Amino acid sequence: MKRVLDATSPYDRSLPAHDESVAQTLRPSGATTRGVPMEGSVRLAFSADAGATRLVDLYQQAPLRAFFPRNGGTGELEAVLANVAGGLVGGDRLSTQITGSGGAQALVTTQAAEKVYRSAGPEVRVDCDITVSADAALAWMPQPTILFDGAVLNRRTQISFDPGARIHAGEVVAYGRAGSGERLSSGRLSDVWEVRRGGRFVWSDRMAVDDWPAVRDHPACFAGARASALFIHAGGDAADGIDRARAIIGDRSEDLMAGATVIDGLLIVRWLGRDAKILLAAYTDFWRRYRSTGRVPRIWAI
């Protein structure tokens, strides 16, 4: 009979082996059988040469990989990041560094939605650092993050830009697997955004949840929402985009709430939705209509 490690704690090699039939019984829904935490990283640097944006630095460490599909000659270089491990389990660490300079125009996205599986205790740590110099424009548009019940995620997104730079960035988070009707009842989430202009701190936001039943339905918290989204426009004429942003958002229903504001020259748009598909469609439509390029990454249509 095959012997395996306890699948409920894939990070602890000291646990005794036991019969596979028992491990299958103990394995929680959404857990993985991967036995070793992954530490992946990717570093991308873009610059312009003779008016064309080029990749000038690339470093990648599994399970993160970068791909560069053709984008139809829009002038905006596109990069797609992939987690070849197929999801994140407790103990995993991912680090992404993106730099734009010298008039570069680039858009970075991800290959698929990132799944954060149930954890037996250890957290998943995800760090993203974006730096944009004057005259460069960069967009960060990862596909949604899906939290499984019991997931433990600690994520930080840090953006630094010089006056004259332009950044569009955002995220979508689904609280549970919508297709199976899952609602989060356990786990933890810490999601931090920090934005600096010319080295000066201009905006910070942190979502911290460690009691999902108390938060998910409270009218002052998620109010029954199963997904949320954030979009920020930093630099350039960000503050002047408030009317256009509100016009795109339009009137919303109880199932999809949205709002836009400006803080210290930074445009911030948020969504809360009771249906993840409807929220994602509204978020994608906003990106398409708000940005001057009028497009979203092709891989989002796959």
Side-chain angles (χ1 to χ4, degrees):
M1 182 174 293
K2 187 178 180 180
R3 309 284 280 179
V4 298
L5 291 177
D6 188 343
T8 62
S9 299
Y11 345 93
D12 190 351
R13 291 180 176 272
S14 66
L15 292 174
H18 56 272
D19 292 346
E20 186 176 22
S21 59
V22 177
Q24 183 64 38
T25 302
L26 293 176
R27 184 174 301 136
S29 174
T32 70
T33 58
R34 173 147 53 82
V36 179
M38 304 289 286
E39 293 192 9
S41 62
V42 64
R43 183 176 68 242
L44 305 172
F46 303 96
S47 188
D49 180 16
T53 299
R54 304 187 185 283
L55 181 71
V56 295
D57 185 32
L58 170 63
Y59 170 84
Q60 50 191 355
Q61 175 179 314
L64 288 181
R65 289 288 184 265
F67 303 90
F68 304 90
R70 296 178 181 177
N71 59 15
T74 64
E76 186 177 57
L77 183 61
E78 186 173 312
V80 178
L81 306 183
N83 175 6
V84 298
L88 298 172
V89 301
D92 285 351
R93 301 285 187 270
L94 297 183
S95 174
T96 301
Q97 297 179 32
I98 307 169
T99 302
S101 62
Q105 298 184 50
L107 184 152
V108 183
T109 185
T110 55
Q111 184 182 39
E114 188 69 90
K115 298 178 290 293
V116 185
Y117 296 109
R118 179 176 177 177
S119 172
E123 70 177 18
V124 170
R125 180 63 189 253
V126 177
D127 292 297
C128 180
D129 292 279
I130 299 171
T131 304
V132 185
S133 301
D135 300 325
L138 194 141
W140 168 238
M141 190 183 180
Q143 298 207 48
T145 297
I146 303 173
L147 300 180
F148 283 45
D149 192 24
V152 180
L153 174 63
N154 185 346
R155 181 169 61 181
R156 180 184 61 88
T157 303
Q158 182 171 291
I159 296 174
S160 300
F161 67 100
D162 294 334
R166 186 179 77 249
I167 300 172
H168 293 154
E171 67 177 9
V172 176
V173 183
Y175 307 111
R177 290 165 287 177
S180 61
E182 180 180 58
R183 303 189 72 197
L184 300 188
S185 60
S186 63
R188 300 190 306 276
L189 171 65
S190 175
D191 199 3
V192 180
W193 281 72
E194 298 176 346
V195 179
R196 291 174 172 82
R197 180 196 301 115
R200 185 175 69 88
F201 209 19
V202 295
W203 182 70
S204 178
D205 182 77
R206 179 182 181 186
M207 180 189 300
V209 182
D210 60 10
D211 187 350
W212 284 106
V215 169
R216 66 191 183 196
D217 296 320
H218 196 288
C221 298
F222 288 131
R226 292 173 178 255
S228 66
L230 168 70
F231 171 88
I232 68 170
H233 176 182
D237 57 351
D240 298 332
I242 184 69
D243 292 336
R244 181 156 52 101
R246 288 173 175 169
I248 296 172
I249 292 171
D251 296 329
R252 297 302 179 187
S253 65
E254 293 182 356
D255 293 329
L256 182 61
M257 298 178 287
T261 189
V262 172
I263 298 177
D264 198 0
L266 183 73
L267 174 67
I268 304 167
V269 185
R270 293 184 184 276
W271 293 261
L272 273 178
R274 294 180 179 176
D275 186 311
K277 288 185 178 180
I278 293 176
L279 180 143
L280 182 58
Y283 177 80
T284 306
D285 180 65
F286 181 90
W287 270 82
R288 182 181 292 110
R289 296 170 60 188
Y290 184 83
R291 302 187 69 224
S292 59
T293 59
R295 74 179 189 95
V296 296
R298 288 185 177 182
I299 198 164
W300 276 60
I302 298 176

